[in-house]
Amino acid sequence: MALKAAIKGVGGYVPDYVLTNQELETMVDTNDQWILERTGISERRILKGENMGTSYLGIQAVKQLLEKTNTNPEEVDLIICATVTPDMFFPATANIIAKGVGASNSFSFDIGAACSGFLYALSTGSQFIETGKYKKVVVVGADKMSSIVDYTDRTTCVLFGDGAGAVLLEPTEEEEGVMDFVLKSDGVGEEYLHMKAGGSRMPSSHETIDQGLHYIFQAGMHVFKYAVVSMADAAAEIMERNKLSGDDVAYLVPHQANKRIIDATAQRMNVGEEKVMMNIHKYGNTTAATIPLCLMDYENKLKKGDNLVLAAFGGGFTWGSAYIKWAY
């Protein structure tokens, strides 16, 4: 019997500090109504505190996950962390998370695919399960976006927040779990969404810091157009491939970048608003954490056998979709 990778639990963490639209009004030339109408975001969470990076968020999410699923950390075989805001270039943030949760027998690595990172990591982790090689794989999406946001740039600072979400994958012989995925990328996106400095092409220097090159750069309209088409296309493709209609889908689980992108994807899939997981108003765009945080917030509404379609779009450009049959 072929093995599938089933999600057996979900955990998440967002920091306590709430950055509201009202507070942003005091920082940049913007207002609550403008932000809400264009993005659907009311507030976002920000990680404050010295020496606290993305690993801190990830550790809290994974600890909660292991506790909820009654999993001994020493039994975890693999931890994959999707992030674009690693604590450091190396070691991998996943290594730091593994140490922080006591997963001393696991190996771990990071995946960098921006807002599609969790989908890339989920599909990667599921294949380690399907081969029969591993029994317990933890997939984490975590980003401390506040660390690379310019809070004088009103086009980007309203969008992002900090958070982490995690799932536990285990093997099953039932027809459930990660059923299928479509993953895409196109380097044309480099021009429109990137962080210019800090890498090997433009190492950090006084000049790069003075010029503000260590922040997110986003050409909003270009990204928006690509995102609307690509995310909807990927979701439509996964539904066609698996002969799913809008009626068959219990929930669309979309990356939370912008309410208008989410609405366009739902429309293309022919699913009503009541079937769309949405928490962008509370957390903003937490990059790799958005999809698992949605699963956490909606966990008590999910039933065994529910069909979920996950869809994301991110810098790179990266995008994709996954079809999951909920396992508990």
Short mmCIF file of all heavy atoms in Angstrom, two decimals, residues 114-158:
data_model
loop_
_atom_site.label_atom_id
_atom_site.label_comp_id
_atom_site.label_asym_id
_atom_site.label_seq_id
_atom_site.Cartn_x
_atom_site.Cartn_y
_atom_site.Cartn_z
N ALA A 114 10.29 32.54 -0.13
CA ALA A 114 9.44 33.68 0.24
C ALA A 114 8.06 33.19 0.68
O ALA A 114 7.96 32.23 1.44
CB ALA A 114 9.38 34.70 -0.88
N CYS A 115 7.00 33.80 0.17
CA CYS A 115 5.65 33.51 0.67
C CYS A 115 5.15 32.12 0.26
O CYS A 115 4.17 31.63 0.81
CB CYS A 115 4.68 34.58 0.20
SG CYS A 115 5.14 36.22 0.78
N SER A 116 5.83 31.49 -0.71
CA SER A 116 5.46 30.12 -1.09
C SER A 116 6.26 29.09 -0.29
O SER A 116 6.12 27.89 -0.50
CB SER A 116 5.72 29.88 -2.58
OG SER A 116 5.15 30.89 -3.36
N GLY A 117 7.11 29.56 0.61
CA GLY A 117 8.03 28.69 1.33
C GLY A 117 7.36 27.52 2.03
O GLY A 117 7.86 26.39 1.99
N PHE A 118 6.23 27.78 2.69
CA PHE A 118 5.58 26.70 3.42
C PHE A 118 5.11 25.61 2.47
O PHE A 118 5.25 24.42 2.76
CB PHE A 118 4.41 27.22 4.27
CG PHE A 118 3.72 26.11 5.04
CD1 PHE A 118 4.29 25.61 6.20
CD2 PHE A 118 2.53 25.56 4.60
CE1 PHE A 118 3.69 24.56 6.90
CE2 PHE A 118 1.91 24.53 5.29
CZ PHE A 118 2.50 24.02 6.44
N LEU A 119 4.57 26.00 1.31
CA LEU A 119 4.12 25.01 0.32
C LEU A 119 5.30 24.18 -0.19
O LEU A 119 5.19 22.97 -0.33
CB LEU A 119 3.47 25.70 -0.88
CG LEU A 119 1.98 26.03 -0.82
CD1 LEU A 119 1.51 26.50 -2.19
CD2 LEU A 119 1.17 24.82 -0.39
N TYR A 120 6.40 24.85 -0.51
CA TYR A 120 7.61 24.14 -0.97
C TYR A 120 8.08 23.16 0.10
O TYR A 120 8.45 22.02 -0.19
CB TYR A 120 8.74 25.14 -1.25
CG TYR A 120 8.73 25.82 -2.61
CD1 TYR A 120 7.54 26.23 -3.22
CD2 TYR A 120 9.91 26.08 -3.27
CE1 TYR A 120 7.56 26.88 -4.45
CE2 TYR A 120 9.95 26.72 -4.50
CZ TYR A 120 8.77 27.13 -5.09
OH TYR A 120 8.79 27.77 -6.30
N ALA A 121 8.10 23.62 1.36
CA ALA A 121 8.60 22.79 2.46
C ALA A 121 7.66 21.63 2.75
O ALA A 121 8.10 20.51 3.03
CB ALA A 121 8.78 23.65 3.72
N LEU A 122 6.35 21.88 2.67
CA LEU A 122 5.34 20.84 2.91
C LEU A 122 5.48 19.72 1.87
O LEU A 122 5.45 18.53 2.20
CB LEU A 122 3.94 21.44 2.86
CG LEU A 122 2.78 20.49 3.14
CD1 LEU A 122 2.75 20.08 4.60
CD2 LEU A 122 1.44 21.14 2.76
N SER A 123 5.63 20.11 0.61
CA SER A 123 5.74 19.11 -0.45
C SER A 123 7.06 18.34 -0.33
O SER A 123 7.12 17.13 -0.57
CB SER A 123 5.60 19.74 -1.83
OG SER A 123 6.51 20.80 -1.98
N THR A 124 8.13 19.03 0.09
CA THR A 124 9.42 18.37 0.30
C THR A 124 9.33 17.38 1.46
O THR A 124 9.73 16.21 1.33
CB THR A 124 10.52 19.41 0.59
OG1 THR A 124 10.56 20.35 -0.48
CG2 THR A 124 11.88 18.77 0.76
N GLY A 125 8.79 17.85 2.58
CA GLY A 125 8.66 16.98 3.75
C GLY A 125 7.79 15.77 3.49
O GLY A 125 8.09 14.66 3.96
N SER A 126 6.73 15.96 2.72
CA SER A 126 5.80 14.85 2.46
C SER A 126 6.48 13.72 1.70
O SER A 126 6.19 12.55 1.90
CB SER A 126 4.56 15.35 1.70
OG SER A 126 4.89 15.71 0.38
N GLN A 127 7.46 14.08 0.85
CA GLN A 127 8.13 13.04 0.07
C GLN A 127 9.09 12.20 0.91
O GLN A 127 9.29 11.02 0.63
CB GLN A 127 8.82 13.68 -1.14
CG GLN A 127 7.76 14.16 -2.13
CD GLN A 127 8.30 15.04 -3.22
OE1 GLN A 127 8.61 14.55 -4.30
NE2 GLN A 127 8.44 16.32 -2.93
N PHE A 128 9.66 12.78 1.97
CA PHE A 128 10.47 11.98 2.90
C PHE A 128 9.60 10.94 3.62
O PHE A 128 10.07 9.87 3.97
CB PHE A 128 11.14 12.90 3.93
CG PHE A 128 12.38 13.59 3.43
CD1 PHE A 128 12.33 14.88 2.96
CD2 PHE A 128 13.60 12.93 3.44
CE1 PHE A 128 13.47 15.53 2.51
CE2 PHE A 128 14.75 13.57 2.98
CZ PHE A 128 14.69 14.87 2.51
N ILE A 129 8.32 11.29 3.83
CA ILE A 129 7.38 10.36 4.46
C ILE A 129 6.95 9.28 3.46
O ILE A 129 6.92 8.09 3.77
CB ILE A 129 6.13 11.12 4.99
CG1 ILE A 129 6.50 12.11 6.09
CG2 ILE A 129 5.04 10.15 5.43
CD1 ILE A 129 6.64 11.56 7.48
N GLU A 130 6.61 9.71 2.23
CA GLU A 130 6.09 8.79 1.21
C GLU A 130 7.10 7.70 0.84
O GLU A 130 6.71 6.58 0.50
CB GLU A 130 5.69 9.56 -0.05
CG GLU A 130 4.38 10.33 0.11
CD GLU A 130 4.15 11.32 -1.03
OE1 GLU A 130 4.77 11.15 -2.11
OE2 GLU A 130 3.36 12.25 -0.84
N THR A 131 8.39 8.03 0.89
CA THR A 131 9.40 7.01 0.57
C THR A 131 9.53 5.96 1.67
O THR A 131 10.18 4.94 1.48
CB THR A 131 10.80 7.66 0.39
OG1 THR A 131 11.16 8.30 1.62
CG2 THR A 131 10.82 8.64 -0.76
N GLY A 132 8.94 6.24 2.84
CA GLY A 132 9.07 5.33 3.97
C GLY A 132 10.33 5.57 4.78
O GLY A 132 10.62 4.87 5.75
N LYS A 133 11.09 6.57 4.39
CA LYS A 133 12.38 6.85 5.03
C LYS A 133 12.20 7.40 6.45
O LYS A 133 12.95 7.07 7.35
CB LYS A 133 13.15 7.86 4.17
CG LYS A 133 14.58 8.10 4.58
CD LYS A 133 15.50 7.01 4.06
CE LYS A 133 16.94 7.28 4.47
NZ LYS A 133 17.77 6.07 4.40
N TYR A 134 11.19 8.28 6.61
CA TYR A 134 10.98 8.91 7.92
C TYR A 134 9.54 8.82 8.38
O TYR A 134 8.62 8.73 7.57
CB TYR A 134 11.42 10.39 7.86
CG TYR A 134 12.90 10.55 7.63
CD1 TYR A 134 13.38 11.24 6.53
CD2 TYR A 134 13.82 9.98 8.51
CE1 TYR A 134 14.74 11.37 6.31
CE2 TYR A 134 15.18 10.10 8.29
CZ TYR A 134 15.64 10.79 7.19
OH TYR A 134 16.98 10.90 6.97
N LYS A 135 9.37 8.84 9.72
CA LYS A 135 8.04 8.69 10.32
C LYS A 135 7.46 10.01 10.84
O LYS A 135 6.25 10.17 10.92
CB LYS A 135 8.11 7.71 11.50
CG LYS A 135 8.58 6.30 11.13
CD LYS A 135 7.41 5.45 10.68
CE LYS A 135 7.78 3.97 10.56
NZ LYS A 135 8.77 3.72 9.50
N LYS A 136 8.33 10.91 11.26
CA LYS A 136 7.84 12.17 11.84
C LYS A 136 8.64 13.35 11.27
O LYS A 136 9.83 13.47 11.54
CB LYS A 136 7.96 12.16 13.38
CG LYS A 136 7.01 11.17 14.06
CD LYS A 136 7.10 11.25 15.56
CE LYS A 136 6.37 10.10 16.25
NZ LYS A 136 4.92 10.18 16.10
N VAL A 137 7.95 14.16 10.48
CA VAL A 137 8.58 15.32 9.87
C VAL A 137 7.82 16.58 10.31
O VAL A 137 6.59 16.64 10.20
CB VAL A 137 8.57 15.21 8.32
CG1 VAL A 137 9.05 16.50 7.68
CG2 VAL A 137 9.42 14.03 7.86
N VAL A 138 8.55 17.56 10.81
CA VAL A 138 7.95 18.83 11.21
C VAL A 138 8.27 19.88 10.14
O VAL A 138 9.43 20.05 9.77
CB VAL A 138 8.47 19.29 12.58
CG1 VAL A 138 8.01 20.72 12.89
CG2 VAL A 138 7.99 18.34 13.68
N VAL A 139 7.23 20.52 9.64
CA VAL A 139 7.39 21.59 8.65
C VAL A 139 6.99 22.90 9.31
O VAL A 139 5.86 23.04 9.81
CB VAL A 139 6.53 21.33 7.40
CG1 VAL A 139 6.68 22.49 6.40
CG2 VAL A 139 6.93 20.02 6.73
N VAL A 140 7.92 23.87 9.31
CA VAL A 140 7.70 25.16 9.96
C VAL A 140 7.73 26.27 8.91
O VAL A 140 8.63 26.29 8.06
CB VAL A 140 8.82 25.48 10.99
CG1 VAL A 140 8.43 26.66 11.87
CG2 VAL A 140 9.18 24.27 11.81
N GLY A 141 6.80 27.19 8.98
CA GLY A 141 6.88 28.44 8.21
C GLY A 141 7.04 29.56 9.23
O GLY A 141 6.18 29.70 10.11
N ALA A 142 8.13 30.31 9.15
CA ALA A 142 8.36 31.35 10.18
C ALA A 142 9.09 32.54 9.56
O ALA A 142 10.03 32.36 8.80
CB ALA A 142 9.21 30.77 11.32
N ASP A 143 8.63 33.73 9.89
CA ASP A 143 9.31 34.93 9.42
C ASP A 143 9.15 36.08 10.39
O ASP A 143 8.05 36.32 10.90
CB ASP A 143 8.81 35.36 8.04
CG ASP A 143 9.57 34.65 6.92
OD1 ASP A 143 10.80 34.89 6.83
OD2 ASP A 143 8.97 33.87 6.17
N LYS A 144 10.27 36.77 10.63
CA LYS A 144 10.25 38.01 11.39
C LYS A 144 10.41 39.14 10.38
O LYS A 144 11.49 39.70 10.18
CB LYS A 144 11.39 38.03 12.42
CG LYS A 144 11.37 39.26 13.32
CD LYS A 144 12.58 39.31 14.24
CE LYS A 144 12.61 40.62 15.02
NZ LYS A 144 13.82 40.73 15.87
N MET A 145 9.31 39.45 9.69
CA MET A 145 9.36 40.43 8.60
C MET A 145 9.70 41.83 9.08
O MET A 145 10.26 42.64 8.33
CB MET A 145 8.04 40.43 7.82
CG MET A 145 7.75 39.12 7.10
SD MET A 145 9.10 38.59 6.02
CE MET A 145 8.96 39.80 4.71
N SER A 146 9.39 42.11 10.36
CA SER A 146 9.70 43.44 10.90
C SER A 146 11.20 43.74 10.85
O SER A 146 11.60 44.89 10.88
CB SER A 146 9.18 43.57 12.33
OG SER A 146 9.85 42.64 13.18
N SER A 147 12.01 42.68 10.74
CA SER A 147 13.46 42.88 10.71
C SER A 147 13.96 43.40 9.36
O SER A 147 15.09 43.87 9.25
CB SER A 147 14.19 41.57 11.06
OG SER A 147 13.98 40.60 10.06
N ILE A 148 13.13 43.29 8.31
CA ILE A 148 13.56 43.78 6.98
C ILE A 148 12.56 44.78 6.38
O ILE A 148 12.60 45.05 5.18
CB ILE A 148 13.82 42.60 6.00
CG1 ILE A 148 12.57 41.72 5.83
CG2 ILE A 148 15.01 41.78 6.46
CD1 ILE A 148 12.70 40.72 4.67
N VAL A 149 11.69 45.30 7.22
CA VAL A 149 10.71 46.29 6.75
C VAL A 149 11.19 47.70 7.10
O VAL A 149 11.66 47.95 8.22
CB VAL A 149 9.32 46.04 7.40
CG1 VAL A 149 8.40 47.25 7.23
CG2 VAL A 149 8.67 44.81 6.77
N ASP A 150 11.07 48.60 6.14
CA ASP A 150 11.40 50.01 6.35
C ASP A 150 10.14 50.73 6.83
O ASP A 150 9.19 50.91 6.06
CB ASP A 150 11.89 50.61 5.02
CG ASP A 150 12.20 52.10 5.12
OD1 ASP A 150 12.03 52.67 6.22
OD2 ASP A 150 12.61 52.68 4.09
N TYR A 151 10.12 51.11 8.09
CA TYR A 151 8.92 51.73 8.66
C TYR A 151 8.78 53.21 8.30
O TYR A 151 8.00 53.93 8.92
CB TYR A 151 8.85 51.48 10.17
CG TYR A 151 8.44 50.04 10.44
CD1 TYR A 151 9.40 49.07 10.71
CD2 TYR A 151 7.12 49.64 10.34
CE1 TYR A 151 9.04 47.74 10.90
CE2 TYR A 151 6.75 48.32 10.55
CZ TYR A 151 7.71 47.38 10.81
OH TYR A 151 7.33 46.06 10.99
N THR A 152 9.54 53.66 7.27
CA THR A 152 9.27 54.97 6.68
C THR A 152 8.71 54.81 5.26
O THR A 152 8.41 55.79 4.60
CB THR A 152 10.55 55.84 6.61
OG1 THR A 152 11.50 55.23 5.71
CG2 THR A 152 11.20 55.99 7.98
N ASP A 153 8.59 53.55 4.80
CA ASP A 153 8.08 53.27 3.45
C ASP A 153 6.63 52.81 3.57
O ASP A 153 6.35 51.67 3.93
CB ASP A 153 8.94 52.18 2.78
CG ASP A 153 8.37 51.73 1.44
OD1 ASP A 153 7.44 52.40 0.92
OD2 ASP A 153 8.85 50.71 0.91
N ARG A 154 5.71 53.70 3.25
CA ARG A 154 4.30 53.39 3.49
C ARG A 154 3.76 52.31 2.56
O ARG A 154 2.71 51.73 2.83
CB ARG A 154 3.44 54.65 3.40
CG ARG A 154 3.34 55.23 2.00
CD ARG A 154 2.41 56.44 2.00
NE ARG A 154 2.18 56.90 0.64
CZ ARG A 154 1.18 57.69 0.31
NH1 ARG A 154 0.34 58.10 1.23
NH2 ARG A 154 1.03 58.08 -0.93
N THR A 155 4.46 52.04 1.45
CA THR A 155 3.95 51.02 0.53
C THR A 155 4.17 49.60 1.06
O THR A 155 3.42 48.70 0.74
CB THR A 155 4.60 51.13 -0.87
OG1 THR A 155 6.01 50.92 -0.74
CG2 THR A 155 4.35 52.48 -1.50
N THR A 156 5.22 49.40 1.88
CA THR A 156 5.48 48.05 2.38
C THR A 156 5.21 47.88 3.88
O THR A 156 4.83 46.80 4.32
CB THR A 156 6.94 47.63 2.11
OG1 THR A 156 7.82 48.62 2.65
CG2 THR A 156 7.21 47.47 0.63
N CYS A 157 5.39 48.94 4.67
CA CYS A 157 5.34 48.74 6.12
C CYS A 157 3.95 48.37 6.63
O CYS A 157 3.80 47.80 7.71
CB CYS A 157 5.90 49.95 6.87
SG CYS A 157 4.81 51.38 6.90
N VAL A 158 2.92 48.67 5.83
CA VAL A 158 1.55 48.35 6.26
C VAL A 158 1.22 46.87 6.06
O VAL A 158 0.25 46.35 6.60
CB VAL A 158 0.49 49.22 5.52
CG1 VAL A 158 0.77 50.69 5.74
CG2 VAL A 158 0.44 48.89 4.03
#
